[in-house]
Amino acid sequence: MAEAAVLAALDVMPAEEYAGDPDAYEDWAKRASKAFADQSRRLRDGTWPAVAQSLLRARAAELDKASGHWDKAAGARDEDDFWTHQGRAEEALTQEAQRTCSA
């Protein structure tokens, strides 16, 4: 499921603090961005029952938005910039859509 892949990407947060290993955070952000974009594409390209199509398109749009913020986090110029974009990526995702897509 799309939601499991997205959650798995988020679960691999680096063990070190950002200041101790910023490259690991860049790599994490790149992996998260790719996972979100891949799952969005799977939702958009899939064949779904008519009743689910609008919800899944909405979730795909959220995943695209989050992926863009993860891209920005990967290119962050400093720690504050990284966490700003990481937070925006989280904010792009609604719990309602996650529950709907997980069901």
Side-chain angles (χ1 to χ4, degrees), residues 14-82:
E16 290 280 328
E17 293 292 321
Y18 182 95
D21 195 357
D23 291 340
Y25 282 81
E26 179 181 348
D27 291 342
W28 176 44
K30 287 177 181 177
R31 286 190 309 272
S33 177
K34 183 179 180 334
F36 280 58
D38 288 349
Q39 296 314 314
S40 173
R41 191 172 24 266
R42 288 181 69 202
L43 289 176
R44 284 192 315 276
D45 293 347
T47 303
W48 309 105
V51 68
Q53 288 179 3
S54 65
L55 292 170
L56 294 173
R57 277 194 304 272
R59 186 57 171 179
E62 290 179 3
L63 292 168
D64 285 336
K65 188 174 181 180
S67 176
H69 287 298
W70 278 110
D71 279 341
K72 291 176 183 176
R77 60 186 180 274
D78 59 32
E79 184 173 2
D80 287 340
D81 195 34
F82 177 89

